[in-house]
Coordinates of all heavy atoms in Angstrom, one line a residue:
E148 N 8.3 27.6 9.5 CA 8.1 27.2 8.1 C 7.3 25.8 8.1 O 7.4 25.0 9.0 CB 9.4 26.9 7.4 CG 10.2 28.1 7.1 CD 9.6 29.0 6.1 OE1 8.9 28.4 5.3 OE2 9.8 30.3 6.2
P149 N 6.5 25.6 7.0 CA 5.7 24.3 7.0 C 6.6 23.0 7.2 O 6.2 22.0 7.8 CB 5.1 24.3 5.6 CG 5.0 25.8 5.3 CD 6.2 26.3 5.9
D150 N 7.8 23.0 6.6 CA 8.7 21.9 6.8 C 9.1 21.7 8.2 O 9.3 20.5 8.7 CB 9.9 21.9 5.8 CG 9.6 21.8 4.3 OD1 8.4 21.3 4.1 OD2 10.3 22.2 3.5
E151 N 9.3 22.8 8.9 CA 9.8 22.7 10.3 C 8.6 22.1 11.2 O 8.8 21.3 12.0 CB 10.2 24.0 10.8 CG 10.8 24.0 12.3 CD 11.5 25.2 12.7 OE1 11.4 26.2 11.9 OE2 11.9 25.3 13.9
I152 N 7.4 22.6 10.8 CA 6.2 22.0 11.6 C 6.0 20.6 11.3 O 5.7 19.8 12.2 CB 4.9 22.9 11.1 CG1 5.0 24.3 11.8 CG2 3.7 22.2 11.7 CD1 3.9 25.2 11.5
A153 N 6.3 20.2 10.0 CA 6.1 18.8 9.7 C 7.1 17.9 10.5 O 6.8 16.8 10.9 CB 6.4 18.6 8.2
S154 N 8.4 18.4 10.7 CA 9.4 17.7 11.4 C 9.2 17.7 12.9 O 9.7 16.9 13.7 CB 10.7 18.1 11.1 OG 10.9 19.5 11.4
R155 N 8.4 18.7 13.5 CA 8.3 18.9 14.9 C 6.9 18.8 15.3 O 6.5 19.3 16.3 CB 8.9 20.3 15.3 CG 10.4 20.5 14.9 CD 10.9 21.8 15.3 NE 10.5 22.3 16.6 CZ 10.7 23.5 17.1 NH1 11.2 24.5 16.3 NH2 10.3 23.8 18.4
H156 N 6.0 18.2 14.5 CA 4.5 18.3 14.7 C 4.2 17.8 16.1 O 3.2 18.3 16.7 CB 3.8 17.6 13.6 CG 4.1 16.1 13.6 ND1 5.3 15.5 12.9 CD2 3.5 15.0 14.0 CE1 5.2 14.3 13.1 NE2 4.3 13.8 13.7
K157 N 4.9 16.8 16.6 CA 4.5 16.3 17.9 C 4.7 17.3 19.0 O 4.0 17.3 19.9 CB 5.4 14.9 18.2 CG 5.0 13.8 17.3 CD 5.8 12.6 17.7 CE 5.5 11.4 16.8 NZ 6.2 10.1 17.1
E158 N 5.7 18.1 18.8 CA 6.0 19.2 19.9 C 4.8 20.1 20.0 O 4.6 20.8 20.9 CB 7.2 20.0 19.5 CG 8.5 19.1 19.6 CD 9.7 20.0 19.2 OE1 9.7 21.2 19.4 OE2 10.7 19.4 18.5
F159 N 4.1 20.3 18.8 CA 2.9 21.1 18.7 C 1.7 20.5 19.0 O 0.6 21.2 18.7 CB 3.0 21.9 17.4 CG 4.3 22.5 17.1 CD1 4.8 22.5 15.8 CD2 4.8 23.4 18.0 CE1 6.0 23.1 15.5 CE2 6.0 24.1 17.7 CZ 6.6 23.9 16.4
G160 N 1.7 19.3 19.4 CA 0.4 18.6 19.8 C -0.4 18.2 18.5 O -1.6 18.0 18.6
L161 N 0.3 17.9 17.4 CA -0.3 17.6 16.2 C 0.0 16.2 15.8 O 1.1 15.6 16.2 CB 0.1 18.5 15.0 CG -0.2 20.0 15.2 CD1 0.4 20.8 14.0 CD2 -1.6 20.3 15.3
E162 N -0.8 15.5 15.1 CA -0.6 14.1 14.6 C -0.7 14.2 13.0 O -1.7 14.7 12.5 CB -1.6 13.1 15.1 CG -1.4 11.7 14.7 CD -2.3 10.8 15.3 OE1 -3.4 10.6 14.8 OE2 -2.1 10.2 16.5
E163 N 0.3 13.6 12.3 CA 0.3 13.6 10.9 C -0.9 12.7 10.3 O -1.1 11.7 10.8 CB 1.6 13.1 10.3 CG 2.8 14.1 10.5 CD 4.0 13.5 9.9 OE1 4.3 12.2 10.0 OE2 4.8 14.2 9.1
G164 N -1.4 13.3 9.2 CA -2.4 12.5 8.4 C -1.8 12.3 7.0 O -0.6 12.2 6.8
D165 N -2.7 12.2 6.1 CA -2.2 12.0 4.7 C -1.6 13.3 4.2 O -1.8 14.4 4.6 CB -3.4 11.7 3.7 CG -3.9 10.4 3.9 OD1 -3.4 9.6 4.8 OD2 -4.9 10.0 3.4
S166 N -0.6 13.1 3.2 CA 0.1 14.2 2.6 C 0.3 13.9 1.1 O 0.4 12.8 0.7 CB 1.3 14.7 3.3 OG 2.3 13.7 3.1
T167 N 0.4 15.0 0.3 CA 0.7 14.7 -1.1 C 1.5 16.0 -1.7 O 1.3 17.1 -1.1 CB -0.6 14.6 -2.0 OG1 -0.3 14.3 -3.3 CG2 -1.5 15.9 -2.0
L168 N 2.3 15.7 -2.6 CA 3.2 16.7 -3.2 C 3.1 16.5 -4.7 O 3.4 15.5 -5.2 CB 4.6 16.6 -2.7 CG 5.6 17.7 -3.2 CD1 6.7 18.0 -2.1 CD2 6.3 17.2 -4.5
W169 N 2.8 17.7 -5.4 CA 2.7 17.6 -6.9 C 3.7 18.6 -7.5 O 3.7 19.8 -6.9 CB 1.3 18.0 -7.3 CG 0.2 17.0 -7.0 CD1 0.1 16.4 -5.8 CD2 -0.9 16.6 -7.8 NE1 -1.1 15.6 -5.9 CE2 -1.7 15.6 -7.1 CE3 -1.4 16.9 -9.1 CZ2 -2.8 15.1 -7.6 CZ3 -2.4 16.2 -9.7 CH2 -3.2 15.4 -8.8
V170 N 4.4 18.3 -8.4 CA 5.3 19.2 -9.1 C 4.8 19.4 -10.5 O 4.7 18.4 -11.3 CB 6.7 18.7 -9.2 CG1 7.7 19.8 -10.0 CG2 7.3 18.5 -7.8
T171 N 4.4 20.5 -10.8 CA 3.8 20.8 -12.2 C 4.7 21.7 -13.0 O 5.4 22.6 -12.4 CB 2.5 21.5 -12.1 OG1 2.6 22.8 -11.5 CG2 1.5 20.6 -11.3
A172 N 4.8 21.6 -14.3 CA 5.6 22.4 -15.2 C 4.8 23.6 -15.8 O 3.7 23.5 -16.0 CB 6.2 21.5 -16.3
A173 N 5.5 24.7 -16.1 CA 4.9 25.9 -16.6 C 5.9 26.4 -17.7 O 7.1 26.3 -17.6 CB 4.7 26.9 -15.5
D174 N 5.3 27.1 -18.7 CA 6.0 27.8 -19.7 C 6.7 29.0 -19.1 O 8.0 29.2 -19.5 CB 5.2 28.2 -20.9 CG 4.5 26.9 -21.6 OD1 5.2 26.0 -21.9 OD2 3.3 27.0 -21.8
E175 N 6.2 29.7 -18.3 CA 6.7 31.0 -17.7 C 6.3 31.1 -16.3 O 5.2 30.6 -15.9 CB 6.3 32.2 -18.5 CG 6.7 32.2 -20.0 CD 8.2 32.4 -20.2 OE1 8.8 32.8 -19.2 OE2 8.6 32.0 -21.3
P176 N 7.1 31.7 -15.4 CA 6.6 31.9 -14.1 C 5.5 32.8 -14.0 O 5.1 33.6 -14.8 CB 7.9 32.7 -13.4 CG 9.1 32.4 -14.3 CD 8.5 32.2 -15.7
A177 N 4.5 32.4 -13.0 CA 3.3 33.2 -12.8 C 3.6 34.6 -12.4 O 4.6 34.9 -11.8 CB 2.5 32.5 -11.8
D178 N 2.6 35.5 -12.7 CA 2.8 36.9 -12.4 C 2.6 37.0 -10.8 O 1.8 36.2 -10.2 CB 1.9 37.8 -13.0 CG 2.1 37.9 -14.6 OD1 3.3 37.8 -14.9 OD2 1.2 38.1 -15.4
P179 N 3.3 37.9 -10.1 CA 3.1 38.1 -8.7 C 1.6 38.2 -8.3 O 0.9 39.1 -8.9 CB 3.9 39.3 -8.3 CG 5.0 39.3 -9.5 CD 4.3 38.8 -10.7
G180 N 1.2 37.4 -7.4 CA -0.3 37.6 -6.9 C -1.3 37.0 -7.8 O -2.4 37.0 -7.5
E181 N -0.8 36.3 -8.9 CA -1.8 35.8 -10.0 C -2.7 34.7 -9.4 O -3.9 34.7 -9.7 CB -1.1 35.3 -11.2 CG -1.9 34.8 -12.3 CD -1.1 34.3 -13.4 OE1 0.1 34.5 -13.5 OE2 -1.7 33.6 -14.3
W182 N -2.1 33.8 -8.7 CA -2.9 32.6 -8.3 C -3.2 32.5 -6.8 O -3.7 31.5 -6.2 CB -2.2 31.3 -8.7 CG -0.7 31.2 -8.4 CD1 0.3 31.5 -9.1 CD2 -0.2 30.9 -7.0 NE1 1.5 31.4 -8.5 CE2 1.2 31.0 -7.1 CE3 -0.8 30.5 -5.8 CZ2 2.1 30.7 -6.0 CZ3 0.1 30.2 -4.8 CH2 1.4 30.3 -4.9
L183 N -2.9 33.6 -6.0 CA -2.9 33.5 -4.6 C -4.4 33.2 -4.0 O -4.5 32.6 -3.0 CB -2.3 34.8 -3.9 CG -0.9 35.0 -4.2 CD1 -0.5 36.2 -3.5 CD2 -0.1 33.8 -3.6
E184 N -5.4 33.7 -4.7 CA -6.7 33.5 -4.3 C -7.3 32.1 -4.5 O -8.2 31.7 -3.8 CB -7.7 34.5 -4.9 CG -7.4 36.0 -4.6 CD -7.5 36.3 -3.1 OE1 -8.4 35.7 -2.6 OE2 -6.8 37.0 -2.6
A185 N -6.7 31.4 -5.4 CA -7.2 30.0 -5.8 C -6.0 29.3 -6.2 O -5.9 29.0 -7.4 CB -8.3 30.0 -6.8
P186 N -5.1 28.8 -5.3 CA -3.8 28.2 -5.7 C -3.9 26.8 -6.3 O -3.0 26.4 -7.0 CB -3.1 28.1 -4.4 CG -4.1 28.2 -3.3 CD -5.2 29.0 -3.8
F187 N -5.0 26.1 -6.0 CA -5.1 24.7 -6.6 C -6.2 24.6 -7.6 O -6.4 23.4 -8.1 CB -5.4 23.8 -5.5 CG -4.3 23.8 -4.3 CD1 -4.6 24.4 -3.1 CD2 -3.0 23.4 -4.5 CE1 -3.7 24.4 -2.1 CE2 -2.1 23.4 -3.5 CZ -2.4 24.0 -2.3
E188 N -6.7 25.6 -8.2 CA -7.9 25.3 -9.1 C -7.4 25.3 -10.6 O -8.2 24.8 -11.3 CB -8.8 26.6 -9.0 CG -9.7 26.6 -7.7 CD -10.7 27.7 -7.7 OE1 -10.8 28.4 -8.7 OE2 -11.5 27.7 -6.8
Q189 N -6.2 25.6 -10.9 CA -5.7 25.6 -12.2 C -4.7 24.5 -12.5 O -3.8 24.8 -13.3 CB -5.2 27.0 -12.7 CG -6.4 28.1 -12.5 CD -5.8 29.4 -12.9 OE1 -4.6 29.7 -13.1 NE2 -6.7 30.5 -13.0
I190 N -4.9 23.4 -11.9 CA -3.9 22.3 -12.2 C -4.2 21.6 -13.5 O -5.4 21.1 -13.6 CB -4.0 21.4 -11.0 CG1 -3.6 22.1 -9.7 CG2 -3.0 20.2 -11.2 CD1 -3.8 21.2 -8.4
D191 N -3.3 21.5 -14.3 CA -3.4 20.7 -15.5 C -2.8 19.3 -15.3 O -1.5 19.2 -15.1 CB -2.8 21.4 -16.7 CG -3.0 20.6 -18.0 OD1 -3.5 19.5 -17.9 OD2 -2.6 21.1 -19.0
P192 N -3.5 18.3 -15.2 CA -2.9 16.9 -14.9 C -1.8 16.5 -15.8 O -0.9 15.8 -15.5 CB -4.1 15.9 -14.9 CG -5.3 16.9 -14.6 CD -5.0 18.2 -15.2
Q193 N -2.0 16.9 -17.1 CA -0.9 16.6 -18.0 C 0.3 17.4 -17.9 O 1.3 17.2 -18.8 CB -1.5 16.7 -19.5 CG -2.7 15.7 -19.8 CD -3.2 15.7 -21.1 OE1 -3.5 16.7 -21.7 NE2 -3.1 14.5 -21.8
R194 N 0.4 18.3 -17.0 CA 1.6 19.0 -16.8 C 2.3 18.6 -15.5 O 3.2 19.4 -15.0 CB 1.3 20.5 -16.9 CG 1.2 21.0 -18.3 CD 1.0 22.6 -18.3 NE 0.9 23.0 -19.6 CZ 1.9 23.9 -20.2 NH1 2.9 24.2 -19.4 NH2 1.9 24.3 -21.4
V195 N 1.8 17.6 -14.9 CA 2.4 17.1 -13.6 C 3.6 16.3 -13.9 O 3.6 15.3 -14.6 CB 1.3 16.3 -12.8 CG1 1.9 15.7 -11.6 CG2 0.1 17.1 -12.5
V196 N 4.7 16.9 -13.4 CA 6.0 16.2 -13.6 C 6.2 14.9 -12.8 O 6.6 13.9 -13.2 CB 7.1 17.1 -13.5 CG1 8.5 16.5 -13.6 CG2 7.1 18.4 -14.3
C197 N 5.8 15.1 -11.5 CA 5.8 14.0 -10.6 C 4.9 14.2 -9.4 O 4.5 15.4 -9.2 CB 7.3 13.7 -10.1 SG 8.1 15.2 -9.3
R198 N 4.6 13.1 -8.7 CA 3.7 13.2 -7.6 C 4.1 12.2 -6.5 O 4.5 11.2 -6.8 CB 2.3 13.0 -8.1 CG 1.3 12.8 -6.9 CD -0.1 12.5 -7.5 NE -1.1 12.2 -6.5 CZ -2.3 11.9 -6.7 NH1 -2.8 11.8 -7.9 NH2 -3.1 11.6 -5.7
F199 N 4.0 12.7 -5.2 CA 4.4 11.7 -4.1 C 3.3 11.9 -3.0 O 2.9 12.9 -2.6 CB 5.7 12.2 -3.6 CG 6.9 12.2 -4.5 CD1 7.2 13.4 -5.2 CD2 7.6 11.1 -4.8 CE1 8.2 13.5 -6.1 CE2 8.6 11.2 -5.8 CZ 8.9 12.3 -6.3
D200 N 2.8 10.7 -2.7 CA 1.7 10.6 -1.7 C 2.2 9.8 -0.4 O 2.9 8.8 -0.6 CB 0.4 9.8 -2.4 CG -0.1 10.6 -3.5 OD1 -0.1 11.8 -3.4 OD2 -0.6 10.0 -4.4
V201 N 1.7 10.3 0.6 CA 2.0 9.5 1.9 C 0.7 9.4 2.6 O -0.1 10.4 2.8 CB 3.0 10.4 2.8 CG1 3.1 9.7 4.2 CG2 4.3 10.6 2.2
S202 N 0.3 8.2 3.0 CA -0.9 7.8 3.7 C -0.8 6.6 4.5 O 0.0 5.7 4.3 CB -2.0 7.6 2.6 OG -3.2 7.2 3.2
A203 N -1.6 6.6 5.6 CA -1.7 5.5 6.5 C -2.2 4.2 5.9 O -2.0 3.0 6.3 CB -2.4 5.9 7.7
V204 N -2.9 4.4 4.8 CA -3.5 3.3 4.0 C -2.3 2.5 3.5 O -2.3 1.2 3.6 CB -4.3 3.8 2.7 CG1 -4.7 2.7 1.9 CG2 -5.5 4.5 3.3
F205 N -1.2 3.0 3.1 CA 0.0 2.3 2.6 C 0.6 1.5 3.7 O 1.0 0.4 3.6 CB 0.9 3.1 1.9 CG 0.3 4.0 0.8 CD1 0.7 5.3 0.6 CD2 -0.6 3.5 0.0 CE1 0.2 6.2 -0.3 CE2 -1.2 4.4 -1.1 CZ -0.8 5.6 -1.2
D206 N 0.7 2.2 4.9 CA 1.3 1.5 6.1 C 0.4 0.3 6.5 O 0.9 -0.8 6.8 CB 1.4 2.5 7.2 CG 2.2 3.6 6.9 OD1 3.1 3.5 6.1 OD2 2.2 4.7 7.6
D207 N -1.0 0.4 6.4 CA -1.8 -0.6 6.9 C -1.6 -1.9 5.9 O -1.6 -3.0 6.3 CB -3.3 -0.2 6.8 CG -3.6 0.8 7.8 OD1 -2.8 0.9 8.8 OD2 -4.6 1.5 7.7
I208 N -1.5 -1.6 4.6 CA -1.3 -2.7 3.6 C 0.1 -3.4 3.9 O 0.0 -4.6 4.0 CB -1.3 -2.1 2.2 CG1 -2.6 -1.6 1.8 CG2 -0.8 -3.2 1.2 CD1 -2.7 -0.8 0.5
D209 N 1.1 -2.6 4.1 CA 2.5 -3.2 4.4 C 2.3 -4.0 5.7 O 2.9 -5.1 5.8 CB 3.5 -2.2 4.6 CG 3.7 -1.4 3.3 OD1 3.4 -2.0 2.3 OD2 4.3 -0.3 3.3

Side-chain angles (χ1 to χ4, degrees):
E148 293 290 334
D150 289 342
E151 185 172 2
I152 291 180
S154 63
R155 300 174 55 188
H156 61 277
K157 292 184 179 179
E158 297 178 30
F159 304 133
L161 304 175
E162 182 179 87
E163 285 184 317
D165 289 357
S166 66
T167 186
L168 182 150
W169 297 40
V170 179
T171 63
D174 297 313
E175 299 294 339
D178 294 332
E181 179 180 351
W182 49 262
L183 293 180
E184 294 300 322
F187 301 108
E188 287 188 358
Q189 298 179 352
I190 301 175
D191 184 352
Q193 292 188 307
R194 284 181 172 248
V195 176
V196 178
C197 56
R198 170 181 173 179
F199 304 96
D200 298 324
V201 177
S202 175
V204 173
F205 308 139
D206 297 338
D207 293 341
I208 293 174
D209 294 339

